[in-house]
Structures are given as structure tokens and as C-alpha cells.
Amino acid sequence: MGDLWSGLTQAFWLVVTLDKELVEISWRSLRITLSALVLASAIAMPLAAFLAVRRFRARRAFIAVMNALMGLPPVVVGLVVYVLLSRSGPFGVLGLLFTPTAMIIAQIIIIVPLIASIAHQSLRDLWQEYHDLLISMNVTQWQKMKTLLWDARRALLTAALAGFGRAIGEVGAIMIVGGNIDHATRVLTTAIALETGKGNFALALSLGFVLIALAVAVNLAIHWLGRTEREGRW
Amino acid sequence: MSDMFPLKVTGAETTRRGKRLVGPIDLTLDGQGTCVVIGPNGSGKTTFLRLLHGAARLAGGEIRWSCPLEDARHDQAFVFQSPVMLRRSVLDNIAYPLLMRGTARAEAREAASNWAARVGLGGMLSRAATVLSGGEKQKLALARALIAEPKLLFLDEPCAALDGRAMREIESILSQAAASGTRLILSTHDMGQARRLASRVVFLLHGKVHEAAAAEQFFDHPETPQARAFLNGDIVE
Amino acid sequence: MIRKFLITPLFAILAMSSMAQAQDVMKLAVTTSFHNSGLSDVLLPEIRKDLDLEVQLLVVGTGQALKLGQEGDVDAILVHSRKAEEAFVADGFGTHRREIMYNDFVVIGPGEDPAGIAGAADAGDALARIATQQSRFVSRGDDSGTHKKERALWQAAGVDPDAAGAWYNAVGAGMGAALNTASGMNAYILSDRASWLNFGNKGDLALLYSGDPVLLNQYAYLPVNPELHPHAKSDLAVALEDWLTSERAAALINEYKINGETLFTFNAQ
Ligand SMILES: Nc1ncnc2c1ncn2[C@@H]1O[C@H](COP(=O)(O)OP(=O)(O)OP(=O)(O)O)[C@@H](O)[C@H]1O
Ligand SMILES: [Mg+2]
């Protein structure tokens, strides 16, 4: 209880005094996760739309695998990315291990199945609604996908936010592939793990509160952006 | 572009899980004007229209247009019994078919607002289509179907949700379209409307064409007792 | 709108990544116990000042540090496990091994000391008393340098921890996490002095035994072999070695104190 309280007050002071390291770490967390989110969405959403409009033999199996991958253990993802990016691994020449890029790659792998699954659910429902009309209009596969993606954009925002939530709070994978290097790959979650290891529970907790606040702030900001849309009525 | 008609339907049928919903149907449609499909609930009107349109899978038989299928599909539009509203504004819904055909945005919107005015939706261009009333949705669907200037337009009970005045407005738009060369195939339960619009009638019963004839002949001298009963408003077995 | 929203951060990211640091950067794998000592927080800024070199620390266990060096994922390692280090050099993964400094291990335990190790004759005797009393003991259990040291001590005490009962708890975690566990269980634990002094969650734990020469903990610096890994920044590794063995480093290391206690003794040749 004492730790909780001193964590809260410490978090408060860290934020109001704009503690230099806190700002640096938070900004890095945000930057890495938002990059991963943008890239993962660019992969997952067209994939979800494709799965909604296109029937092919392995489709059901594909969707089942995708849903299962939502529960992918981040540590395993981290390990696999680590082995691939290590200097003695297949992509070693790129020298990406222990860089923010490696962390972005790991986060993308973790959240693509999540975003794609959630997006697919809403796109599939919308497709049922639109099916007759779009078939009757004889539009191309690509046009169907674009129409679905555009008209379901608010549901897709929810999918993206779920991905953001998972990525920003993730620690296992990015600890492994990023190495938690001070001033290079240390982010909020890995800093929390580090401080916990040192027994600095209050500081760890205060970082935790900042992390939560950041996640809430991003969610609110995105919802606000969504609401200011001209056609934002459904 | 070559003409789509005459359309020859031979032994066409559609099935669902082995059960035949409609067919086998033999029919030839040609010339201009409006073909009205009538029949009791569940007789297969909707399925028949969808089958001709290519939206229901042909399980047997043949549907042959006088032009390549690609061209025929390109020049058709369909107004569904319960219209599908895209989650967009009224204007964007009506402009949608043009945009899909590569028309420039400004031009498509211009045409869409003209059509909206024609069907009486001019005052609600920026409203979300999903919140429209049932009748307004029907009108939107009609405008959206006509904007691409189809050669053939299917209408599945287009006036079912409309009041008398709106029905007259729609009918006049349909007559204009028919006069300017659009072939109409529509289903209806309103015999008054059928008499006003039809140049030819197809009477469906139990998924089969029970009687098909020119409008005057059908309404004045129906050949089968079932058609006579149906026109009288009696129960048809 | 959404497109705009998606694209803006992308540009921000691109702008950020082009702000690459002008100075040299190298990667050094160190053990948790070294990092927990806080000495790196003193040395790294000085290195940056003197050499215009940013040393990025990968804080891992000894086993993983050696592995990182072996695979060429870091440019040098700083660890404390002599046998493993010599094997590392013998196998050609490192160019050589340079001793830098030492600190010592201490035995931590509940303040009331149920096993009475405070009066032990030597480190082996202290552990033997814990085993006899079957007092709870927390082991790192992660194959780290500290863990290896602990195993050696048990062997000297004539106790086989693998055959020990429920009082022996291998947690498979870093020094800090293991100390947290010991604090929670009020158990004995072997720790390096620095980690203990910097540990923030001591609870009822106290430093009970230290001073046996067998508890000394030698740190050595091993640059990665550039013949094996051409991308390794061996010139920077050499520069860092020169600095770490310099008079300046000696002064900084010997004067580093926590709560008034000296932690490290510089002994580079
Ligand atoms: N997808 C389907 N699966 C199973 N049965 C179907 C399906 N579609 C239509 N049917 C059945 O086929 C028959 C014809 O249906 P259809 O919708 O064509 O009738 P309709 O003449 O349009 O009726 P209404 O006047 O009520 O609109 C009905 O008995 C209906 O239940
Ligand atoms: Mg029907």
C-alpha cells in the first residue's frame, strides 16, 4: 500500500517536472509502438478485407490460424526475431538486433494477428450487409475491399486501438530483441521490469502509472480525431 | 455496344442444399417496355429476378443474352426488396456506382445531387443513408440504380414501402426511364401498379412460370384458373 | 482524416530516425550484478566525454553475455566467470582476456540469523550451517556468474543443492528479482555486494557474512574476435579497453561508493 501511494506521488512529480529521462523513455515507447501500429495496420487491414470478400479453399483454416495467433506468446516471438536478426542468423548482416527497428518488427508480428482478427470480424459483418449490392454492381475485388475498409473505418479504429494496447504494454519480446539499452532501446515497460528487479517498486509503479496514462491519452486522442470527422455519424 | 435482348431462358433453375427454389423456367424476353413479375408470397419472384441478374447461382439450364455476359452484367442494375444502404451520406451512396466506374469525383457528385433531387431526396444530401426512412431508402436505391444509366433494371417490389404520392413519383421516373430505352423487370404485389406499368406479365407459382403473356391479354383474359383467382384476390393453391 | 492521422506519426518517425548520433557507438554486454552496482552510471558519461564514444550496455546473465560475444551481437563483454572466460578466448571467440577490477560476494539473510552464519569460520562453513538448519535459501538458478560461484561454494561445503529439500529455492532470475524473492520469503541468498547495497526492498534482510577471500569476484574485459565477426567494432573495443585500464578509470572505480562503502578494487595490469 505504501509503495502504491509513493508510486502515485512519484509519478505525479515525474510528470509535472517533465523528468528528462521519463520524457525520453515515454517518447520512445510511443514512437516504436505507433510505428509498429501503422505498419501492422497496413498489413492486417487489407488482409482482413481480403479474407472477408474472397472465398478460397484454405480460407477457414487461415482464419482459424490467424485467430489462434492472437494468443501468440510474445516471448516466443521475441526469441524467434532474436534468432533471425542475430549476427549469426539469416538477417544478421542488417545489424538490426538491439535496435528500435527490431522492437518494431517484434511488435508488428505480435499485433498483426490481433488487428486482422478483430478487423475481419467487423468487415465480415459489413460484407454480409453489402454483399448483394456490391455483387450486383459488378465491382472489382479491390473495389470491394476499399469500400469495406472505408465504410468500416470506425470499427477498424477499434481494432487498431486494441493492437496499440497490446503493443504498448508488451515487455517480453521487446526486452529480448531490444536489449533494454539505456538511451537506445529502453521503453516504459522494460524500464518497469528493470526497476522492479532493483526492488524500486515505487519508481516502477510510477512508470506504470505513466504508461497507463499514456495509453488512455492516445485512446482519447484517437477517438476525438474520429469524432471530428465530417461523416462521423455511425 | 450490341443489344442484350432477346434474352433466352431455357430450363433455368436454382437450388439450395439440393432443394429446388425456382425452375425449371423457359422464357424469352425481347423488345422494350416493362415486364412485371407477379405471384403469391414465396412463389419465387425475388429468386427469379436474382437468377436473371446473375446474383443467384444457376444450378441447371441456361440464361443466354444476345451479347457477351460481361457486357450484359455491366449494363444491369438491381433495386432490392430491402435496399442496402452503404454507411455513407445520401450523396455518396448515389454517387457510388459512378465512382466505381472511374468517373471523376466532382462530376459524380454533381450527377448524384441531380438524381437525388429527381427522387425527392434533394434536401438530405449529407444525411447518413442508414438513418433514412424505409421509403426514402427505396428512393435512394432507385436513384443509385438509375445513375449509371443501365439498359436493364431489375426492381424487386420497389414501391412496397412507399405512400401513394411517392409511388406515383417513382412510377413516373420509371416510365421516363422505360421511354428512354431502359428495359424494366419488376416484381410487385400491387395489381394497380402492375396494370399501369406492365407491357408484359410473368405470373409465377411454386417457382415456375405459370402463365406469361402481353399485359392486356393477361389482365383481360387470364388463361389459367390460378391466374384468374390471383387477379381476383382469392387464395391460390 | 484517418489517413492523415496515420501518416503524421510515420513522418515523425522518419524524421526521428534520421537524427542519428554523430559520435561512435559500440555495444558491451555486462552482467546484471555489474549494472546493479551503479558503477556504469558513473563510468559511461566519462567515457562519452573522454572518447566521444557511446557505450550501449546489454545487461544480461554471464551465460547470455558470452553467447552474445560468441555470435558477434556485441563488440565486447565485461563479465566475472574466469573459467568460462578462458574457454571463450581459447575457442577463439575473444581476442584476449583483460582483468579490470574485483568486488566481493556477501551472504544475505534474515536479520535474526536462524542458522547463525554470522559467526561462521569461512564461506563454506556459513553455507553448511544453512544446510544443517534447513533454513530457506534462494538461488539465482540462472547459470550466471553469481550462480556458478554459489554452486562452487556448496560443493566446498559438501552439500549437494540438487538433492536438497524444499528449503532450497532456485528462482531462475536476475540478482534483483532473486533478492526480491528472498526478501519476500525472508530467506538466505548469495549476492554481490553492489546489488545488495543498491537494492531498494531489503525488508528484514541483513548482510550476515562476508570477507572470505574465496568470495572475491574478478571482472574481466574481453573484446570480440574481429576475424570471426568483421563487423565488430574492434578499434572502439580497443579504445574502451585502454580507457578502462587507465589511471583515470582506476580513480573513478576505486572511489565509487554506496552508502559510504567502497565496492570495487581496480586491479588492471
Ligand atoms: N437462401 C435461401 N435458402 C432457402 N430457401 C430460400 C432461400 N431464398 C429463398 N428461399 C425460398 O424460396 C422461395 C422463394 O422465395 P422468394 O424470395 O423468391 O419469394 P418471393 O416470391 O420473392 O416472395 P415475396 O413476395 O414474399 O417477396 C421461398 O419459399 C423461400 O423461402
Ligand atoms: Mg420477394
Side-chain angles (χ1 to χ4, degrees):
Chain A
M1 205 54 215
D3 279 327
L4 209 57
W5 181 243
S6 65
L8 263 174
T9 47
Q10 206 166 334
F12 176 77
W13 284 115
L14 283 175
V15 170
V16 292
T17 58
L18 280 179
D19 179 83
K20 200 166 139 286
E21 280 203 38
L22 177 77
V23 170
E24 183 196 320
I25 292 178
S26 307
W27 169 233
R28 189 177 298 115
S29 279
L30 209 54
R31 190 155 57 90
I32 287 174
T33 299
L34 284 179
S35 324
L37 183 62
V38 169
L39 295 171
S41 299
I43 298 168
M45 290 177 179
L47 175 68
F50 181 79
L51 289 173
V53 302
R54 185 64 185 263
R55 310 281 121 155
F56 53 94
R57 183 111 35 97
R59 180 172 158 275
R60 276 175 184 284
F62 193 97
I63 291 168
V65 169
M66 195 174 75
N67 287 334
L69 288 183
M70 274 201 287
L72 212 57
V75 182
V76 178
V77 175
L79 261 174
V80 171
V81 173
Y82 180 106
V83 169
L84 292 177
L85 295 185
S86 166
R87 285 288 181 178
S88 33
F91 301 107
V93 283
L94 301 177
L96 290 179
L97 192 61
F98 304 135
T99 64
T101 310
M103 299 160 83
I104 292 173
I105 292 172
Q107 289 196 340
I108 289 175
I109 296 175
I110 291 169
I111 62 176
V112 159
L114 179 73
I115 298 179
S117 292
I118 300 180
H120 175 250
Q121 279 177 15
S122 39
L123 291 179
R124 190 191 50 196
D125 293 347
L126 190 62
W127 174 238
Q128 291 209 333
E129 211 178 304
Y130 281 12
H131 176 272
D132 283 352
L133 182 68
L134 299 198
I135 293 289
S136 137
M137 284 186 182
N138 218 12
V139 300
T140 64
Q141 207 73 266
W142 177 235
Q143 287 176 324
K144 287 178 201 163
M145 286 168 57
K146 276 204 299 196
T147 303
L148 286 184
L149 286 171
W150 178 249
D151 286 2
R153 57 196 179 282
R154 309 198 107 241
L156 295 182
L157 211 55
T158 312
L161 285 178
F164 177 82
R166 178 147 158 119
I168 192 98
E170 201 284 316
V171 61
I174 54 171
M175 182 72 110
I176 296 176
V177 302
N180 195 18
I181 300 172
D182 204 5
H183 304 304
T185 59
R186 181 161 304 160
V187 292
L188 279 168
T189 50
T190 59
I192 290 170
L194 181 72
E195 294 307 331
T196 307
K198 288 190 198 161
N200 294 334
F201 294 152
L203 180 55
L205 267 172
S206 68
L207 291 173
F209 291 133
V210 172
L211 177 63
I212 293 170
L214 200 64
V216 171
V218 168
N219 272 273
L220 289 179
I222 291 180
H223 272 300
W224 178 77
L225 274 175
R227 198 157 306 144
T228 52
E229 268 185 79
R230 190 176 52 80
E231 310 99 320
R233 252 162 304 201
W234 50 80
Chain B
M1 228 178 289
S2 56
D3 204 1
M4 295 157 73
F5 292 98
L7 164 66
K8 285 204 177 71
V9 182
T10 39
E13 59 181 19
T14 183
T15 56
R16 193 87 185 195
R17 300 216 176 82
K19 201 180 133 252
R20 188 155 67 200
L21 297 183
V22 157
I25 284 173
D26 294 286
L27 193 71
T28 304
L29 287 175
D30 53 4
Q32 280 93 43
T34 302
C35 172
V36 172
V37 180
I38 57 174
N41 287 132
S43 58
K45 299 182 295 297
T46 299
T47 313
F48 174 62
L49 295 187
R50 292 169 63 100
L51 186 64
L52 294 187
H53 182 51
R57 215 171 56 81
L58 192 64
E62 203 183 14
I63 293 176
R64 171 176 261 159
W65 303 91
S66 301
C67 64
L69 182 65
E70 279 293 297
D71 298 347
R73 294 279 284 125
H74 184 265
D75 287 331
Q76 299 179 16
F78 202 114
V79 176
F80 294 96
Q81 194 165 355
S82 47
V84 180
M85 293 295 107
L86 298 172
R87 294 186 195 172
R88 303 178 177 206
S89 65
V90 168
L91 186 70
D92 287 341
N93 259 278
I94 301 177
Y96 184 78
L98 291 184
L99 291 176
M100 291 302 110
R101 288 178 183 208
T103 311
R105 204 169 187 86
E107 199 182 319
R109 289 183 154 229
E110 169 84 36
S113 72
N114 287 340
W115 269 104
R118 280 186 70 179
V119 298
L121 297 176
M124 44 190 83
L125 292 182
S126 64
R127 194 174 296 174
T130 42
V131 305
L132 294 183
S133 77
E136 288 164 346
K137 283 180 183 166
Q138 287 282 10
K139 293 179 187 172
L140 187 156
L142 185 64
R144 190 173 57 194
L146 285 171
I147 196 169
E149 295 174 353
K151 291 201 179 131
L152 170 59
L153 175 60
F154 293 98
L155 301 121
D156 195 3
E157 301 187 29
C159 299
L162 298 185
D163 60 27
R165 180 184 155 162
M167 192 193 301
R168 292 306 167 115
E169 287 167 11
I170 298 292
E171 282 177 13
S172 102
I173 293 169
L174 290 179
S175 304
Q176 282 171 38
S180 63
T182 300
R183 190 83 161 81
L184 302 178
I185 301 181
L186 99 167
S187 75
T188 182
H189 283 293
D190 182 336
M191 288 309 120
Q193 179 173 57
R195 282 177 204 270
R196 284 193 295 278
L197 294 178
S199 57
R200 192 179 154 88
V201 176
V202 172
F203 175 53
L204 288 183
L205 194 61
H206 303 313
K208 293 192 179 62
V209 177
H210 197 74
E211 195 172 331
E216 282 146 46
Q217 191 188 339
F218 180 84
F219 288 120
D220 298 344
H221 310 287
E223 277 176 16
T224 60
Q226 287 88 346
R228 235 170 283 142
F230 185 72
L231 286 176
N232 284 337
D234 295 341
I235 294 168
V236 184
E237 289 303 330
Chain C
M1 193 68 211
I2 293 194
R3 259 174 253 192
K4 221 184 281 170
F5 167 75
L6 291 178
I7 286 166
T8 321
L10 206 61
F11 279 117
I13 290 146
L14 291 177
M16 284 296 294
S17 46
S18 60
M19 278 167 45
Q21 284 109 334
Q23 57 185 338
D24 293 326
V25 177
M26 71 171 280
K27 290 192 167 77
L28 175 69
V30 300
T31 60
T32 26
S33 31
F34 172 70
H35 184 251
N36 284 352
S37 74
L39 179 58
S40 55
D41 296 338
V42 173
L43 297 185
L44 292 190
E46 298 299 323
I47 293 170
R48 192 175 187 144
K49 234 185 283 166
D50 293 355
L51 303 179
D52 193 23
L53 169 64
E54 181 185 330
V55 178
Q56 298 190 334
L57 291 189
L58 283 139
V59 184
V60 293
T62 305
Q64 203 193 337
L66 291 164
K67 179 107 170 124
L68 285 175
Q70 189 175 328
E71 313 261 276
D73 289 322
V74 292
D75 303 307
I77 61 180
L78 180 67
V79 290
H80 48 97
S81 184
R82 182 168 189 140
K83 266 191 206 139
E85 290 158 19
E86 280 167 351
F88 186 81
V89 175
D91 292 340
F93 298 128
T95 50
H96 60 282
R97 171 178 180 274
R98 185 86 179 264
E99 296 191 342
I100 304 289
M101 63 195 169
Y102 62 84
N103 67 349
D104 67 337
F105 290 110
V106 295
V107 185
I108 308 296
E112 64 270 26
D113 193 11
I117 67 165
D122 56 30
D125 181 31
L127 289 198
R129 291 182 189 202
I130 295 172
T132 314
Q133 283 296 316
Q134 307 228 332
S135 300
R136 272 190 292 206
F137 185 90
V138 169
S139 165
R140 290 273 295 271
D142 61 350
D143 212 28
S144 59
T146 308
H147 183 222
K148 285 184 177 137
K149 186 66 164 188
E150 181 213 310
R151 305 282 299 191
L153 291 173
W154 283 119
Q155 206 177 359
V159 178
D160 178 10
D162 294 330
W167 59 273
Y168 185 85
N169 305 282
V171 293
M175 198 68 249
L179 279 167
N180 271 330
T181 310
S183 170
M185 297 171 65
N186 214 15
Y188 287 93
I189 182 170
L190 181 76
S191 168
D192 61 285
R193 186 184 292 271
S195 297
W196 164 249
L197 286 175
N198 270 328
F199 183 58
N201 180 34
K202 291 192 170 73
D204 288 335
L205 296 183
L207 194 165
L208 297 175
Y209 182 87
S210 67
D212 187 336
V214 77
L215 291 178
L216 289 188
N217 183 28
Q218 177 69 50
Y219 281 86
Y221 177 83
L222 299 94
V224 162
N225 189 351
E227 281 169 29
L228 220 54
H229 299 290
H231 61 265
K233 297 170 176 163
S234 68
D235 48 334
L236 298 180
V238 168
L240 180 60
E241 178 176 343
D242 289 345
W243 191 91
L244 282 173
T245 54
S246 68
E247 296 285 315
R248 182 154 160 66
L252 287 167
I253 290 169
N254 286 330
E255 281 157 25
Y256 179 64
K257 288 193 175 79
I258 300 174
N259 303 341
E261 287 194 53
T262 312
L263 284 175
F264 292 95
T265 310
F266 179 86
N267 71 339
Q269 303 290 316

